[in-house]
Tab-separated table of all heavy atoms in Angstrom:
chain	number	residue	atom	x	y	z
A	1	MET	N	0.858	-1.162	-0.024
A	1	MET	CA	-0.044	-0.001	0.036
A	1	MET	C	0.914	1.221	0.031
A	1	MET	O	1.626	1.451	0.984
A	1	MET	CB	-0.920	-0.072	1.245
A	1	MET	CG	-1.809	-1.337	1.221
A	1	MET	SD	-2.829	-1.606	2.669
A	1	MET	CE	-4.231	-0.537	2.348
A	2	PRO	N	0.919	2.004	-1.119
A	2	PRO	CA	1.918	3.046	-1.278
A	2	PRO	C	1.993	4.087	-0.149
A	2	PRO	O	3.073	4.592	0.183
A	2	PRO	CB	1.461	3.719	-2.584
A	2	PRO	CG	0.726	2.638	-3.320
A	2	PRO	CD	0.045	1.767	-2.205
A	3	ALA	N	0.837	4.448	0.417
A	3	ALA	CA	0.864	5.435	1.496
A	3	ALA	C	0.837	4.829	2.883
A	3	ALA	O	0.608	5.514	3.856
A	3	ALA	CB	-0.357	6.330	1.299
A	4	GLY	N	1.102	3.550	2.896
A	4	GLY	CA	1.052	2.806	4.229
A	4	GLY	C	-0.341	2.288	4.501
A	4	GLY	O	-1.320	2.702	3.860
A	5	LYS	N	-0.437	1.350	5.479
A	5	LYS	CA	-1.667	0.772	5.800
A	5	LYS	C	-2.252	1.448	7.127
A	5	LYS	O	-1.712	1.307	8.149
A	5	LYS	CB	-1.510	-0.731	6.081
A	5	LYS	CG	-2.886	-1.470	6.245
A	5	LYS	CD	-2.699	-2.882	6.708
A	5	LYS	CE	-2.578	-2.916	8.197
A	5	LYS	NZ	-3.627	-2.274	8.939
A	6	PRO	N	-3.345	2.138	6.957
A	6	PRO	CA	-3.949	2.639	8.142
A	6	PRO	C	-4.398	1.591	9.112
A	6	PRO	O	-4.747	0.524	8.668
A	6	PRO	CB	-5.198	3.472	7.640
A	6	PRO	CG	-4.946	3.574	6.117
A	6	PRO	CD	-4.164	2.441	5.798
A	7	ALA	N	-4.472	1.918	10.386
A	7	ALA	CA	-4.886	1.009	11.372
A	7	ALA	C	-6.359	0.590	11.080
A	7	ALA	O	-7.198	1.414	10.696
A	7	ALA	CB	-4.876	1.573	12.793
A	8	GLY	N	-6.597	-0.729	11.253
A	8	GLY	CA	-8.020	-1.155	11.035
A	8	GLY	C	-8.341	-1.454	9.603
A	8	GLY	O	-9.465	-1.913	9.340
A	9	VAL	N	-7.513	-1.216	8.708
A	9	VAL	CA	-7.749	-1.437	7.295
A	9	VAL	C	-7.049	-2.776	6.816
A	9	VAL	O	-5.879	-3.002	7.159
A	9	VAL	CB	-7.203	-0.292	6.390
A	9	VAL	CG1	-7.344	-0.593	4.912
A	9	VAL	CG2	-8.010	1.018	6.811
A	10	ARG	N	-7.759	-3.568	6.128
A	10	ARG	CA	-7.172	-4.828	5.656
A	10	ARG	C	-6.103	-4.525	4.677
A	10	ARG	O	-6.260	-3.778	3.707
A	10	ARG	CB	-8.288	-5.674	5.021
A	10	ARG	CG	-7.907	-7.105	4.623
A	10	ARG	CD	-9.080	-7.779	4.049
A	10	ARG	NE	-8.740	-9.069	3.508
A	10	ARG	CZ	-8.644	-10.293	4.169
A	10	ARG	NH1	-8.903	-10.196	5.422
A	10	ARG	NH2	-8.358	-11.337	3.545
A	11	CYS	N	-5.006	-5.230	4.831
A	11	CYS	CA	-3.832	-5.079	3.929
A	11	CYS	C	-4.261	-5.484	2.529
A	11	CYS	O	-4.845	-6.553	2.287
A	11	CYS	CB	-2.672	-5.755	4.428
A	11	CYS	SG	-1.188	-5.595	3.265
A	12	ALA	N	-3.836	-4.716	1.503
A	12	ALA	CA	-4.122	-5.082	0.085
A	12	ALA	C	-3.434	-6.309	-0.299
A	12	ALA	O	-3.806	-6.926	-1.291
A	12	ALA	CB	-3.711	-3.866	-0.794
A	13	GLN	N	-2.401	-6.719	0.421
A	13	GLN	CA	-1.656	-7.946	0.103
A	13	GLN	C	-2.124	-9.196	0.762
A	13	GLN	O	-1.704	-10.259	0.495
A	13	GLN	CB	-0.160	-7.782	0.418
A	13	GLN	CG	0.541	-6.516	-0.198
A	13	GLN	CD	0.515	-6.647	-1.715
A	13	GLN	OE1	0.365	-7.680	-2.307
A	13	GLN	NE2	0.733	-5.479	-2.374
A	14	LEU	N	-3.150	-9.011	1.507
A	14	LEU	CA	-3.699	-10.186	2.202
A	14	LEU	C	-4.698	-10.969	1.322
A	14	LEU	O	-5.655	-10.354	0.775
A	14	LEU	CB	-4.467	-9.709	3.509
A	14	LEU	CG	-4.743	-10.699	4.552
A	14	LEU	CD1	-3.386	-11.327	5.078
A	14	LEU	CD2	-5.389	-9.912	5.775
A	15	THR	N	-4.492	-12.249	1.116
A	15	THR	CA	-5.282	-13.067	0.186
A	15	THR	C	-6.622	-13.417	0.881
A	15	THR	O	-6.765	-13.217	2.158
A	15	THR	CB	-4.585	-14.359	-0.192
A	15	THR	OG1	-4.384	-15.109	1.008
A	15	THR	CG2	-3.244	-14.046	-0.845
A	16	ALA	N	-7.476	-14.025	0.141
A	16	ALA	CA	-8.851	-14.369	0.684
A	16	ALA	C	-8.704	-15.434	1.822
A	16	ALA	O	-9.570	-15.431	2.725
A	16	ALA	CB	-9.754	-14.905	-0.434
A	17	ASP	N	-7.645	-16.244	1.733
A	17	ASP	CA	-7.458	-17.162	2.851
A	17	ASP	C	-6.442	-16.630	3.911
A	17	ASP	O	-5.796	-17.474	4.625
A	17	ASP	CB	-7.062	-18.593	2.354
A	17	ASP	CG	-5.792	-18.513	1.524
A	17	ASP	OD1	-5.225	-17.455	1.241
A	17	ASP	OD2	-5.273	-19.652	1.257
A	18	ASN	N	-6.316	-15.338	3.962
A	18	ASN	CA	-5.553	-14.696	5.059
A	18	ASN	C	-3.956	-15.008	4.954
A	18	ASN	O	-3.381	-15.225	6.067
A	18	ASN	CB	-6.103	-14.944	6.427
A	18	ASN	CG	-7.480	-14.323	6.581
A	18	ASN	OD1	-7.714	-13.222	6.119
A	18	ASN	ND2	-8.352	-15.056	7.259
A	19	ARG	N	-3.536	-15.119	3.764
A	19	ARG	CA	-2.069	-15.336	3.629
A	19	ARG	C	-1.497	-14.046	3.031
A	19	ARG	O	-2.142	-13.348	2.215
A	19	ARG	CB	-1.825	-16.529	2.858
A	19	ARG	CG	-2.295	-17.813	3.486
A	19	ARG	CD	-1.963	-19.063	2.612
A	19	ARG	NE	-2.511	-20.217	3.263
A	19	ARG	CZ	-1.898	-20.947	4.166
A	19	ARG	NH1	-0.691	-20.625	4.622
A	19	ARG	NH2	-2.483	-22.018	4.720
A	20	CYS	N	-0.156	-13.802	3.219
A	20	CYS	CA	0.460	-12.644	2.611
A	20	CYS	C	0.881	-13.033	1.143
A	20	CYS	O	1.619	-13.971	0.910
A	20	CYS	CB	1.690	-12.304	3.427
A	20	CYS	SG	2.599	-10.910	2.678
A	21	ALA	N	0.329	-12.187	0.218
A	21	ALA	CA	0.618	-12.444	-1.236
A	21	ALA	C	2.019	-12.142	-1.621
A	21	ALA	O	2.493	-12.519	-2.733
A	21	ALA	CB	-0.446	-11.674	-2.035
A	22	ILE	N	2.746	-11.387	-0.783
A	22	ILE	CA	4.130	-11.031	-1.157
A	22	ILE	C	5.096	-11.555	-0.172
A	22	ILE	O	6.246	-11.022	0.052
A	22	ILE	CB	4.262	-9.527	-1.364
A	22	ILE	CG1	3.858	-8.728	-0.156
A	22	ILE	CG2	3.461	-9.050	-2.595
A	22	ILE	CD1	4.119	-7.236	-0.162
A	23	PHE	N	4.773	-12.638	0.605
A	23	PHE	CA	5.745	-13.267	1.584
A	23	PHE	C	6.957	-13.685	0.846
A	23	PHE	O	6.912	-14.354	-0.131
A	23	PHE	CB	5.002	-14.450	2.265
A	23	PHE	CG	5.779	-14.915	3.498
A	23	PHE	CD1	5.617	-14.386	4.750
A	23	PHE	CD2	6.749	-15.933	3.354
A	23	PHE	CE1	6.334	-14.852	5.858
A	23	PHE	CE2	7.383	-16.398	4.414
A	23	PHE	CZ	7.239	-15.798	5.633
A	24	GLY	N	8.086	-13.241	1.399
A	24	GLY	CA	9.341	-13.609	0.849
A	24	GLY	C	9.809	-12.742	-0.285
A	24	GLY	O	10.931	-12.804	-0.805
A	25	ASP	N	8.993	-11.809	-0.661
A	25	ASP	CA	9.217	-10.814	-1.746
A	25	ASP	C	9.957	-9.602	-1.120
A	25	ASP	O	9.450	-9.092	-0.028
A	25	ASP	CB	7.944	-10.366	-2.411
A	25	ASP	CG	8.130	-9.578	-3.627
A	25	ASP	OD1	8.771	-8.486	-3.529
A	25	ASP	OD2	7.559	-9.893	-4.668
A	26	PRO	N	11.031	-9.040	-1.710
A	26	PRO	CA	11.724	-7.905	-1.102
A	26	PRO	C	10.773	-6.623	-0.988
A	26	PRO	O	11.179	-5.698	-0.261
A	26	PRO	CB	12.884	-7.668	-2.119
A	26	PRO	CG	12.614	-8.496	-3.222
A	26	PRO	CD	11.664	-9.569	-2.928
A	27	ARG	N	9.683	-6.660	-1.730
A	27	ARG	CA	8.765	-5.508	-1.627
A	27	ARG	C	7.912	-5.559	-0.358
A	27	ARG	O	7.220	-4.599	-0.020
A	27	ARG	CB	7.842	-5.455	-2.832
A	27	ARG	CG	8.553	-5.158	-4.154
A	27	ARG	CD	7.589	-5.301	-5.297
A	27	ARG	NE	7.169	-6.765	-5.392
A	27	ARG	CZ	6.151	-7.122	-6.155
A	27	ARG	NH1	5.522	-6.339	-6.958
A	27	ARG	NH2	5.821	-8.460	-6.133
A	28	ARG	N	7.893	-6.682	0.326
A	28	ARG	CA	7.230	-6.799	1.652
A	28	ARG	C	7.767	-5.833	2.607
A	28	ARG	O	9.009	-5.709	2.789
A	28	ARG	CB	7.290	-8.266	2.159
A	28	ARG	CG	6.506	-8.574	3.384
A	28	ARG	CD	6.586	-10.052	3.644
A	28	ARG	NE	5.830	-10.398	4.805
A	28	ARG	CZ	6.289	-11.104	5.877
A	28	ARG	NH1	7.581	-11.472	5.858
A	28	ARG	NH2	5.536	-11.352	6.823
A	29	PRO	N	6.914	-5.007	3.270
A	29	PRO	CA	7.439	-4.035	4.245
A	29	PRO	C	8.379	-4.617	5.306
A	29	PRO	O	8.119	-5.703	5.815
A	29	PRO	CB	6.169	-3.440	4.840
A	29	PRO	CG	5.094	-3.711	3.769
A	29	PRO	CD	5.523	-4.980	3.230
A	30	ALA	N	9.294	-3.850	5.628
A	30	ALA	CA	10.322	-4.302	6.596
A	30	ALA	C	9.644	-4.583	7.965
A	30	ALA	O	10.030	-5.508	8.648
A	30	ALA	CB	11.454	-3.216	6.790
A	31	VAL	N	8.663	-3.848	8.308
A	31	VAL	CA	7.959	-4.014	9.606
A	31	VAL	C	7.295	-5.455	9.566
A	31	VAL	O	7.320	-6.104	10.624
A	31	VAL	CB	6.901	-2.922	9.873
A	31	VAL	CG1	5.750	-2.946	8.876
A	31	VAL	CG2	6.489	-3.022	11.322
A	32	CYS	N	6.843	-5.844	8.468
A	32	CYS	CA	6.153	-7.192	8.423
A	32	CYS	C	7.252	-8.268	8.526
A	32	CYS	O	7.027	-9.229	9.270
A	32	CYS	CB	5.442	-7.312	7.086
A	32	CYS	SG	4.167	-6.186	6.772
A	33	ALA	N	8.369	-8.121	7.883
A	33	ALA	CA	9.414	-9.075	7.892
A	33	ALA	C	10.051	-9.253	9.252
A	33	ALA	O	10.519	-10.251	9.732
A	33	ALA	CB	10.507	-8.822	6.884
A	34	SER	N	10.066	-8.118	10.028
A	34	SER	CA	10.648	-8.066	11.387
A	34	SER	C	9.722	-8.529	12.467
A	34	SER	O	10.208	-8.868	13.587
A	34	SER	CB	11.119	-6.652	11.737
A	34	SER	OG	10.059	-5.777	11.940
A	35	LEU	N	8.476	-8.746	12.162
A	35	LEU	CA	7.554	-9.181	13.205
A	35	LEU	C	7.895	-10.661	13.578
A	35	LEU	O	7.999	-11.486	12.735
A	35	LEU	CB	6.027	-9.105	12.711
A	35	LEU	CG	5.017	-9.612	13.672
A	35	LEU	CD1	4.963	-8.707	14.906
A	35	LEU	CD2	3.732	-9.710	12.999
A	36	GLN	N	8.050	-10.843	14.843
A	36	GLN	CA	8.264	-12.232	15.414
A	36	GLN	C	6.976	-12.744	16.021
A	36	GLN	O	6.744	-12.438	17.212
A	36	GLN	CB	9.374	-12.197	16.402
A	36	GLN	CG	10.782	-11.846	15.807
A	36	GLN	CD	11.261	-12.855	14.760
A	36	GLN	OE1	11.280	-14.033	15.102
A	36	GLN	NE2	11.550	-12.324	13.624
A	37	PRO	N	6.184	-13.524	15.286
A	37	PRO	CA	5.019	-14.044	15.913
A	37	PRO	C	5.243	-15.065	16.982
A	37	PRO	O	6.285	-15.691	17.011
A	37	PRO	CB	4.250	-14.728	14.686
A	37	PRO	CG	5.316	-15.074	13.748
A	37	PRO	CD	6.403	-14.019	13.940
A	38	GLU	N	4.261	-15.151	17.902
A	38	GLU	CA	4.378	-16.112	18.976
A	38	GLU	C	3.071	-16.655	19.306
A	38	GLU	O	2.034	-16.089	18.839
A	38	GLU	CB	4.967	-15.460	20.261
A	38	GLU	CG	4.196	-14.277	20.717
A	38	GLU	CD	4.806	-13.601	21.896
A	38	GLU	OE1	5.927	-13.026	21.751
A	38	GLU	OE2	4.190	-13.607	22.951
A	39	PRO	N	2.988	-17.881	19.956
A	39	PRO	CA	1.663	-18.519	20.094
A	39	PRO	C	0.593	-17.596	20.738
A	39	PRO	O	-0.540	-17.618	20.365
A	39	PRO	CB	2.083	-19.682	21.033
A	39	PRO	CG	3.432	-19.985	20.666
A	39	PRO	CD	4.106	-18.633	20.456
A	40	ALA	N	0.983	-16.733	21.720
A	40	ALA	CA	0.026	-15.899	22.344
A	40	ALA	C	-0.615	-14.900	21.370
A	40	ALA	O	-1.754	-14.465	21.526
A	40	ALA	CB	0.655	-15.110	23.491
A	41	MET	N	0.126	-14.489	20.345
A	41	MET	CA	-0.340	-13.575	19.404
A	41	MET	C	-1.235	-14.293	18.354
A	41	MET	O	-2.274	-13.791	18.015
A	41	MET	CB	0.830	-13.024	18.640
A	41	MET	CG	0.587	-12.041	17.474
A	41	MET	SD	2.038	-11.587	16.478
A	41	MET	CE	2.991	-10.757	17.734
A	42	CYS	N	-0.859	-15.455	17.896
A	42	CYS	CA	-1.608	-16.126	16.852
A	42	CYS	C	-2.798	-16.873	17.360
A	42	CYS	O	-3.788	-17.020	16.743
A	42	CYS	CB	-0.626	-17.164	16.133
A	42	CYS	SG	0.742	-16.247	15.368
A	43	GLY	N	-2.700	-17.511	18.580
A	43	GLY	CA	-3.814	-18.270	19.071
A	43	GLY	C	-4.056	-19.468	18.191
A	43	GLY	O	-3.230	-19.950	17.498
A	44	ASP	N	-5.270	-19.988	18.175
A	44	ASP	CA	-5.681	-21.160	17.455
A	44	ASP	C	-6.321	-20.821	16.096
A	44	ASP	O	-6.522	-21.678	15.255
A	44	ASP	CB	-6.674	-22.031	18.192
A	44	ASP	CG	-5.937	-22.693	19.411
A	44	ASP	OD1	-4.729	-22.975	19.341
A	44	ASP	OD2	-6.604	-22.849	20.432
A	45	ASP	N	-6.714	-19.536	15.876
A	45	ASP	CA	-7.463	-19.181	14.713
A	45	ASP	C	-7.355	-17.668	14.446
A	45	ASP	O	-6.834	-16.936	15.213
A	45	ASP	CB	-8.886	-19.613	14.693
A	45	ASP	CG	-9.678	-19.002	15.961
A	45	ASP	OD1	-9.265	-17.974	16.358
A	45	ASP	OD2	-10.559	-19.757	16.443
A	46	HIS	N	-7.884	-17.334	13.206
A	46	HIS	CA	-7.731	-15.910	12.874
A	46	HIS	C	-8.529	-14.963	13.758
A	46	HIS	O	-8.248	-13.813	13.925
A	46	HIS	CB	-8.109	-15.673	11.415
A	46	HIS	CG	-9.547	-15.762	11.155
A	46	HIS	ND1	-10.285	-16.876	10.997
A	46	HIS	CD2	-10.390	-14.740	10.951
A	46	HIS	CE1	-11.497	-16.625	10.773
A	46	HIS	NE2	-11.671	-15.332	10.671
A	47	VAL	N	-9.584	-15.485	14.366
A	47	VAL	CA	-10.407	-14.657	15.332
A	47	VAL	C	-9.508	-14.199	16.480
A	47	VAL	O	-9.562	-12.945	16.828
A	47	VAL	CB	-11.642	-15.403	15.767
A	47	VAL	CG1	-12.424	-14.606	16.853
A	47	VAL	CG2	-12.507	-15.750	14.610
A	48	HIS	N	-8.779	-15.104	17.085
A	48	HIS	CA	-7.875	-14.725	18.152
A	48	HIS	C	-6.810	-13.689	17.638
A	48	HIS	O	-6.596	-12.699	18.300
A	48	HIS	CB	-7.194	-15.960	18.687
A	48	HIS	CG	-6.139	-15.630	19.753
A	48	HIS	ND1	-6.380	-15.746	21.073
A	48	HIS	CD2	-4.893	-15.177	19.577
A	48	HIS	CE1	-5.297	-15.298	21.756
A	48	HIS	NE2	-4.406	-14.980	20.845
A	49	ALA	N	-6.126	-14.005	16.493
A	49	ALA	CA	-5.152	-13.158	16.007
A	49	ALA	C	-5.697	-11.669	15.746
A	49	ALA	O	-5.016	-10.746	16.009
A	49	ALA	CB	-4.517	-13.705	14.697
A	50	LEU	N	-6.872	-11.587	15.134
A	50	LEU	CA	-7.426	-10.366	14.827
A	50	LEU	C	-7.764	-9.517	16.174
A	50	LEU	O	-7.551	-8.332	16.272
A	50	LEU	CB	-8.716	-10.431	14.030
A	50	LEU	CG	-8.454	-10.778	12.517
A	50	LEU	CD1	-9.756	-10.996	11.760
A	50	LEU	CD2	-7.628	-9.598	11.840
A	51	ALA	N	-8.264	-10.274	17.146
A	51	ALA	CA	-8.562	-9.659	18.443
A	51	ALA	C	-7.152	-9.074	19.084
A	51	ALA	O	-7.146	-7.987	19.615
A	51	ALA	CB	-9.211	-10.638	19.386
A	52	TRP	N	-6.108	-9.854	18.937
A	52	TRP	CA	-4.783	-9.485	19.534
A	52	TRP	C	-4.385	-8.154	18.737
A	52	TRP	O	-3.884	-7.227	19.340
A	52	TRP	CB	-3.806	-10.597	19.268
A	52	TRP	CG	-2.462	-10.324	19.827
A	52	TRP	CD1	-1.422	-9.604	19.268
A	52	TRP	CD2	-1.963	-10.722	21.140
A	52	TRP	NE1	-0.387	-9.541	20.095
A	52	TRP	CE2	-0.739	-10.231	21.200
A	52	TRP	CE3	-2.536	-11.510	22.136
A	52	TRP	CZ2	0.136	-10.500	22.335
A	52	TRP	CZ3	-1.722	-11.667	23.258
A	52	TRP	CH2	-0.460	-11.191	23.394
A	53	LEU	N	-4.436	-8.212	17.432
A	53	LEU	CA	-4.017	-6.979	16.659
A	53	LEU	C	-4.850	-5.804	16.973
A	53	LEU	O	-4.311	-4.668	17.099
A	53	LEU	CB	-4.098	-7.295	15.113
A	53	LEU	CG	-3.042	-8.287	14.618
A	53	LEU	CD1	-3.361	-8.656	13.195
A	53	LEU	CD2	-1.592	-7.673	14.737
A	54	THR	N	-6.159	-5.957	17.083
A	54	THR	CA	-7.079	-4.887	17.441
A	54	THR	C	-6.672	-4.302	18.850
A	54	THR	O	-6.639	-3.023	18.980
A	54	THR	CB	-8.441	-5.310	17.485
A	54	THR	OG1	-8.830	-5.839	16.173
A	54	THR	CG2	-9.475	-4.162	17.822
A	55	ALA	N	-6.356	-5.135	19.787
A	55	ALA	CA	-5.940	-4.677	21.115
A	55	ALA	C	-4.709	-3.876	21.062
A	55	ALA	O	-4.500	-2.838	21.654
A	55	ALA	CB	-5.810	-5.874	22.060
A	56	LEU	N	-3.718	-4.329	20.166
A	56	LEU	CA	-2.402	-3.608	20.073
A	56	LEU	C	-2.705	-2.208	19.483
A	56	LEU	O	-2.101	-1.288	19.881
A	56	LEU	CB	-1.455	-4.453	19.171
A	56	LEU	CG	-0.763	-5.620	19.803
A	56	LEU	CD1	0.106	-6.272	18.756
A	56	LEU	CD2	0.059	-5.206	20.957
A	57	GLU	N	-3.499	-2.149	18.369
A	57	GLU	CA	-3.854	-0.952	17.708
A	57	GLU	C	-4.507	-0.016	18.723
A	57	GLU	O	-4.183	1.211	18.672
A	57	GLU	CB	-4.699	-1.176	16.545
A	57	GLU	CG	-3.988	-1.854	15.328
A	57	GLU	CD	-4.890	-2.108	14.129
A	57	GLU	OE1	-6.189	-1.841	14.241
A	57	GLU	OE2	-4.312	-2.440	13.117
A	58	THR	N	-5.466	-0.522	19.520
A	58	THR	CA	-6.088	0.385	20.488
A	58	THR	C	-5.072	0.892	21.555
A	58	THR	O	-5.117	2.106	21.873
A	58	THR	CB	-7.215	-0.380	21.188
A	58	THR	OG1	-8.192	-0.843	20.156
A	58	THR	CG2	-7.928	0.539	22.239
A	59	ALA	N	-4.160	0.071	21.948
A	59	ALA	CA	-3.258	0.448	22.991
A	59	ALA	C	-2.174	1.456	22.458
A	59	ALA	O	-1.646	2.179	23.313
A	59	ALA	CB	-2.562	-0.800	23.520
A	60	THR	N	-1.956	1.450	21.183
A	60	THR	CA	-0.904	2.298	20.633
A	60	THR	C	-1.378	3.454	19.795
A	60	THR	O	-0.540	4.188	19.233
A	60	THR	CB	0.062	1.444	19.844
A	60	THR	OG1	-0.664	0.813	18.745
A	60	THR	CG2	0.745	0.410	20.672
A	61	GLN	N	-2.716	3.609	19.683
A	61	GLN	CA	-3.213	4.715	18.890
A	61	GLN	C	-2.946	6.110	19.480
A	61	GLN	O	-2.958	6.256	20.662
A	61	GLN	CB	-4.702	4.503	18.609
A	61	GLN	CG	-5.620	4.818	19.788
A	61	GLN	CD	-7.096	4.460	19.444
A	61	GLN	OE1	-7.358	3.651	18.629
A	61	GLN	NE2	-7.917	5.152	20.172
A	62	ALA	N	-2.749	7.014	18.574
A	62	ALA	CA	-2.460	8.406	19.092
A	62	ALA	C	-3.821	9.019	19.478
A	62	ALA	O	-4.806	8.670	18.960
A	62	ALA	CB	-1.864	9.232	17.916
A	63	ASP	N	-3.759	9.893	20.382
A	63	ASP	CA	-4.893	10.626	20.869
A	63	ASP	C	-5.465	11.627	19.907
A	63	ASP	O	-4.735	12.173	19.126
A	63	ASP	CB	-4.749	11.189	22.225
A	63	ASP	CG	-4.508	10.088	23.340
A	63	ASP	OD1	-5.223	9.082	23.245
A	63	ASP	OD2	-3.736	10.407	24.221
B	1	SF4	S1	2.669	-9.456	6.127
B	1	SF4	FE1	2.551	-7.281	5.702
B	1	SF4	S2	2.325	-7.058	3.406
B	1	SF4	FE2	1.787	-9.212	4.032
B	1	SF4	S3	-0.400	-9.237	4.354
B	1	SF4	FE3	0.498	-8.851	6.294
B	1	SF4	S4	0.538	-6.658	6.515
B	1	SF4	FE4	0.196	-7.091	4.348
């Protein structure tokens, strides 16, 4: 996404089955490549992962 991905907006590179379409591609943003996922973040399904991401966005949003 040329201007960056706003919080709460689905990434344009995310496929219908929630995979990164540019995984392993040098065009993938550095922040994505540097993320170290862990079981607490991912949980057992995408519902848990989205709730985790939403909580992070809420906790770090500017006033
Ligand atoms: S890893 Fe980054 S580029 Fe790929 S889908 Fe997720 S946010 Fe988008």
